Amino acid sequence: MSRKLPLILLGLTLVACDAASSPPQTDVALAGAVPYRAGSTPFLQDTARTVTRRILPDADLYDISPDGRLAVYTDWTTGDLAIRDLETGEERHLTHNRARFDPGGAEDARFSPDGRWVAYTWYEEAQPAFYKLGVVDIEGANPSLNHRDPATGWIHAADWSPGGGHILAFRNVAGKDANELLLISAEDGRVRLLKDFPDPATGGSDGYCFSPDGRSVAYDSWRGNPEDTDIFVIEVATGEERPLVENGASDEILGWAPGGQHLLFLSNRSGTPGAWVLPVEDGRANGDPWLVKPDMWRSEGVRFSPDGRYYYKVGTGRRDVHVVGFDPEARSVIGSPTAVSGGSPSNASHSVWSPDGRHLAYAVKAGPMTAMARIAVRSMETGDVMHFELGEPGQVATTGWTADGRSVLVRVFRPGDEDDRLGFFWIDVQTGRKEPATGPGLGLTYPRLDPDRRFKLSLDSEFNSEGQARFFIRRTDLASGDTTTLFQTPSGGWGQVLSPTLSPDGETLAFGYSPVVGSRPHSLILLPTTGEEPRELPIEGVSPIAWMPDGDAMLLIRFVGLGPIWDVWYLDLAREEPQPIGLTARGGVITLDVHPDGRSITYTSTTGGYELWVMEDFLPGAGEIRGGDPHDE
């Protein structure tokens, strides 16, 4: 239910895409809704008044203005922040790049309460590279960056104070893997630390909002288990904290209703995600919550309107495994990509060819992060698909095959398991038998196994006294157990080594590298596994990587700007000049792999996006006007 965690963990793509489901249907307005009380089972009685309407089929946006007229989004063709009039369709830019993503790109944005200003995240590749917080008026005349701190790994505007004088911002502190909730003056950028989250396993959600009187801030946080989230309140004047919603389920803020007497939140306490309303008085619970909208699958909150309507987005995207022909002589794709996982009941990703090219293994996601992990193996000759249940919860990814094509190497990420977050298993595709591939306690280690099982490569981390990480690529001889360090980064943070991929002969590890924390990869590193000096090529934006079967060339995903537009490029390692192969798409690319004969490519990408919906007639006294802001007096 949370939107995103903006850090890239060691090139380890832990993909959490909600299970596919049907779009919500418009509810019939009925009379007689009554609040839910403990022990009540007919949830329909609580939702009878609620009406939902889809108002925009393509909602690639961050926020809408309080009056519902304007939408703010990123123009991914330029990197500029832009707004669109939802009535007339008129669009205009609020930032003004000289060229495509030059000097930078805008991301998450939030309208001020009066709709006249927008706070946004800004990033530039130029040194020093770090995320900044900007403010601009809706005419685009006065963009300014009012928060610049090199220690910021990520920052975004979560809310504005009711009077518009302060921005509630969430940031990650680079190198220390800590999160903070800040009050930033919209006028001069002065900062007050409102809440420190020293444990990176807390405070990672987007649920932060002011109460309508501006005296309190509500936030949601999970502590060790992302499926058990509670809601808390901070008194702005004193910093005093107290729980507001505590439950064994996942409870996440959608918004504080106008008037301050109700809090809308998302919860799966009834078994499926639904929208619940909690009566509130003076920032404290004033009764039991009741369900106002069930089946909020794949929903993401946007904002309340002053009259009590609530806008939210519904995800329509899915991840599919694609296959497309490739001509290695012409170095271009042949025909159009075909989705081969369409028969899967859920999203699919991380596709890997078998050594003989006759099968394709990929991960299947059928539910939330706690759902049982499983993989699928598809025969490319018959189209038959075999499914293998792993018998334990978590996010699953296929990472390779044994040389004889009998077993698939599978990685499982277990949410909330502090002692063993990553598990690696061999799945015998003939018997379905599961065996551990490596021992427990892997931590952040990311193994790459030599095809001949002579050695294991791992990406390990160590932290200095200031909490900054340094990463080491190490080779462990599987016969003797001897370990050698092949490469190490300067102290920094996540995202310096991306998509480490071993060549077919096991002699070279290729990865995207950035010495600047949090930026896109600045170069491609070719690291010999025998200990020689690495070779660095000045190719930016590399991730992921797929070797050609002969090991003399590779395919690279190169992101266009900072947005969800990507190209596949062919790189001849002798010439060092990459060239596009004619495969371009929008959306996230998870993995890329080349058929053993070099004439087909498989990749996973995301299609679809969001729809914008509005929920109405679910609040008692809807339409109350937000109160004042004690910070803006």
Side-chain angles (χ1 to χ4, degrees), residues 50-74:
T50 306
V51 174
T52 59
R53 295 182 293 114
R54 191 184 74 167
I55 59 177
L56 193 64
D58 182 11
D60 185 14
L61 54 86
Y62 302 120
D63 193 17
I64 61 173
S65 56
D67 62 8
R69 185 173 60 89
L70 302 176
V72 61
Y73 63 99
T74 297

Side-chain angles (χ1 to χ4, degrees), residues 224-246:
N225 184 355
E227 297 299 320
D228 184 4
T229 305
D230 293 321
I231 300 174
F232 304 85
V233 167
I234 305 175
E235 294 292 338
V236 175
T238 65
E240 176 189 353
E241 295 184 57
R242 60 180 176 273
L244 185 63
V245 179
E246 288 185 298

